[in-house]
């Protein structure tokens, strides 16, 4: 697959470092990637302006905040015309319990990553919101047991 951005080895190092620790100072980042601070900052800004770096977030400990239920929902729609897919995708944005949503291929149409305070809250969402939403045909849920891997989105070689 062709690369969609013109990145050199330093850019890749910057991306790797920031994916691992988005809070480090520009000086620390520049030391880690082997260039001085001013060009490092210019490169980071260029990566941000190009949309390669989409933003920065704090990674929160959900159980420590009382959010003990993590589940995935596979959703099948009655009709998969573009308008219906867009309508359901937009509906997911209004459900705070849905933290991440993907349109997928195969037997289901959407994969939803849900986080709730307890099983009852999740069940209420599934029954009263998700299963009763217009055009929803099937809802299959999978409650997680424990997270076994938590890495950044992009894997870097070496």
């Amino acid at each position: 697959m062709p690369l969609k951005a013109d990145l050199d080895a330093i850019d890749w190092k910057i991306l790797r470092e920031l994916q691992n620790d988005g809070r480090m100072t520009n000086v620390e980042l520049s030391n880690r990637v082997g260039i001085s601070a001013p060009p490092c900052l210019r490169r980071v800004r260029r990566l941000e302006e190009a949309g390669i770096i989409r933003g920065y977030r704090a990674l929160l400990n959900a159980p420590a905040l009382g959010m003990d239920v993590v589940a995935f929902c596979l959703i099948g729609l009655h009709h998969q015309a573009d308008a219906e897919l867009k309508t359901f995708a937009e509906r997911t944005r209004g459900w705070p319990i849905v933290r991440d949503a993907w349109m997928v291929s195969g037997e289901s149409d959407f994969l939803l990553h849900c986080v709730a305070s307890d099983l009852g809250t999740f069940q209420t969402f599934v029954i009263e919101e998700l299963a009763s939403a217009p055009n929803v045909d099937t809802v299959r849920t999978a409650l997680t047991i424990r997270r076994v891997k938590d890495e950044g989105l992009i894997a870097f070689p070496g």
Side-chain angles (χ1 to χ4, degrees):
M1 171 179 254
L3 190 61
K4 296 180 179 181
D6 184 23
L7 304 176
D8 65 14
I10 298 294
D11 292 328
W12 283 106
K13 287 180 184 177
I14 288 170
L15 294 173
R16 179 185 306 118
E17 294 298 332
L18 287 177
Q19 180 172 260
N20 289 333
D21 180 5
R23 287 187 51 151
M24 76 177 70
T25 66
N26 182 58
V27 171
E28 184 177 347
L29 178 60
S30 68
N31 288 334
R32 288 188 186 186
V33 301
I35 61 175
S36 64
C40 184
L41 184 57
R42 284 193 297 273
R43 284 172 177 261
V44 170
R45 287 191 175 140
R46 180 177 53 83
L47 292 166
E48 291 169 345
E49 290 166 4
I52 293 168
I53 296 175
R54 295 185 311 133
Y56 302 89
R57 292 182 178 173
L59 300 175
L60 305 180
N61 181 337
L65 296 169
M67 304 304 278
D68 292 321
V69 174
V70 176
F72 291 89
C73 299
L74 287 163
I75 310 303
L77 301 180
H78 287 290
H79 308 286
Q80 293 81 20
D82 191 51
E84 283 87 357
L85 294 169
K86 286 179 180 175
T87 297
F88 185 83
E90 185 59 36
R91 184 177 300 279
T92 67
R93 291 179 182 90
W95 289 325
I97 200 168
V98 176
R99 305 312 305 154
D100 210 358
W102 294 89
M103 187 182 299
V104 296
S105 64
E107 293 181 23
S108 298
D109 298 304
F110 287 88
L111 173 66
L112 309 181
H113 173 207
C114 301
V115 179
S117 58
D118 55 72
L119 187 56
T121 300
F122 175 68
Q123 289 172 329
T124 298
F125 165 73
V126 169
I127 294 165
E128 295 180 9
E129 297 284 336
L130 193 51
S132 64
N135 196 32
V136 170
D137 180 34
T138 60
V139 176
R140 292 185 319 205
T141 62
L143 294 171
T144 63
I145 297 170
R146 76 173 63 97
R147 176 177 261 163
V148 297
K149 186 174 181 177
D150 184 14
E151 298 288 332
L153 185 59
I154 304 297
F156 294 95

